[in-house]
Amino acid sequence: MADFDQELDASGLNCPLPILRAKKALSALSEGQVLHIIATDPGAVKDFEAFAKQTGNELVESHEEGGKFHFLMKKH
Amino acid sequence: MSGKKLAIIATKGSLDWAYPPFILASTAAALGYEVEIFCTFYGLQLLRKKMDLKVTSLGNPGMPMPIPMPVLMQALPGMQSMMTLMMKQKMKSKGVASLEELRELCIEAEVRLVACQMTVDLFDFNTSDFIDGVEYGGAATFFEFAGESDITLFV
């Protein structure tokens, strides 16, 4: 997996918490920095795509590994 | 960001039905929406300092029950508290946010909370029972924001 600047473990959290936590974490980053989000909510896969599309942040990577979902979100 | 607006009317005051307004409002705010929740009738319960909302299966045949139970039995004293307790435990085990947490996130994200003045008066609610920052207004106040909103929802 590519490099990231900060990690957010949203494992065990359900909708809409992973998105809300990610939004909060992203606001602390500067433009171009990357947030690594780990989630277990299967709904998060589509939700992070939608989040990126609507906020202008870039979803660099999205994959499943060991029953967990990993996302790399680059702050715009 | 998007510059979009979401207006929600919250009319229900049970534990389960308090979720949609808070989930949608907090998520929309995270997406860059400006959000207002207009609370009227039982939706005013969402504004109380201590929400203490309950869930009931009465009049709600769609609610999944752990064991099948005749309706009259569901009406027995203590059943509502028990169902509320079970629902809260289930939500916690599934990682669902508490209403208090979601409301806090809404406030943090500057979601505007408006209490319907007419129903506040109707039910003799004491405004000191409500959380700080609540605005008071009527139908015209709602339309002032809803009229220029991209999405308007009635819950």
Side-chain angles (χ1 to χ4, degrees):
Chain A
M1 195 160 61
D3 284 344
F4 53 87
D5 299 285
Q6 208 192 315
E7 189 171 271
L8 169 72
D9 191 355
S11 299
L13 299 180
N14 219 319
C15 171
L17 287 178
I19 290 285
L20 299 183
R21 296 274 160 87
K23 158 78 183 171
K24 205 168 184 175
L26 279 167
S27 60
L29 296 183
S30 21
E31 206 179 311
Q33 286 191 307
V34 175
L35 178 68
H36 174 209
I37 306 143
I38 306 161
T40 48
D41 169 20
V45 177
K46 274 196 92 78
D47 267 9
F48 275 111
E49 282 173 25
F51 176 81
K53 216 163 137 186
Q54 292 172 85
T55 56
N57 297 298
E58 189 190 344
L59 185 60
V60 185
E61 199 179 315
S62 168
H63 73 269
E64 191 188 344
E65 194 184 302
K68 293 198 176 193
F69 303 99
H70 296 261
F71 308 95
L72 287 180
M73 188 77 72
K74 189 175 187 177
K75 183 168 175 172
H76 184 68
Chain B
M1 280 215 256
S2 67
K4 288 188 173 179
K5 291 186 183 184
L6 164 68
I8 300 174
I9 302 187
T11 64
K12 302 200 173 52
S14 58
L15 176 73
D16 42 356
W17 280 101
Y19 272 88
F22 284 142
I23 288 179
L24 296 170
S26 56
T27 304
L31 295 172
Y33 281 73
E34 198 183 320
V35 187
E36 178 181 299
I37 307 177
F38 184 85
C39 299
T40 185
F41 280 82
Y42 318 109
L44 289 171
Q45 300 286 359
L46 274 55
L47 302 176
R48 300 185 82 161
K49 281 177 186 149
K50 196 176 179 324
M51 280 193 276
D52 196 26
L53 303 183
K54 303 272 197 298
V55 68
T56 180
S57 61
L58 295 174
N60 181 11
M63 184 166 145
M65 300 287 279
I67 40 166
M69 202 184 284
V71 172
L72 269 178
M73 222 163 116
Q74 296 171 27
L76 291 175
M79 285 303 282
Q80 185 172 281
S81 303
M82 197 184 76
M83 282 178 201
T84 301
L85 192 71
M86 286 170 75
M87 178 68 96
K88 283 185 175 173
Q89 284 171 347
K90 196 161 183 68
M91 284 173 156
K92 203 170 175 185
S93 75
K94 302 267 184 184
V96 175
S98 70
L99 285 173
E100 286 75 10
E101 184 178 3
L102 284 174
R103 184 170 74 177
E104 202 46 50
L105 289 165
C106 284
I107 294 168
E108 257 176 51
E110 295 178 342
V111 169
R112 284 175 61 204
L113 299 169
V114 182
C116 163
Q117 183 70 61
M118 183 277 277
T119 42
V120 168
D121 293 343
L122 175 66
F123 296 126
D124 293 317
F125 272 121
N126 195 335
T127 54
S128 64
D129 288 342
F130 292 145
I131 51 172
D132 295 334
V134 170
E135 297 168 49
Y136 296 85
T141 307
F142 170 74
F143 281 109
E144 191 184 353
F145 186 86
E148 50 188 41
S149 290
D150 301 270
I151 304 173
T152 315
L153 300 172
F154 184 93
V155 182

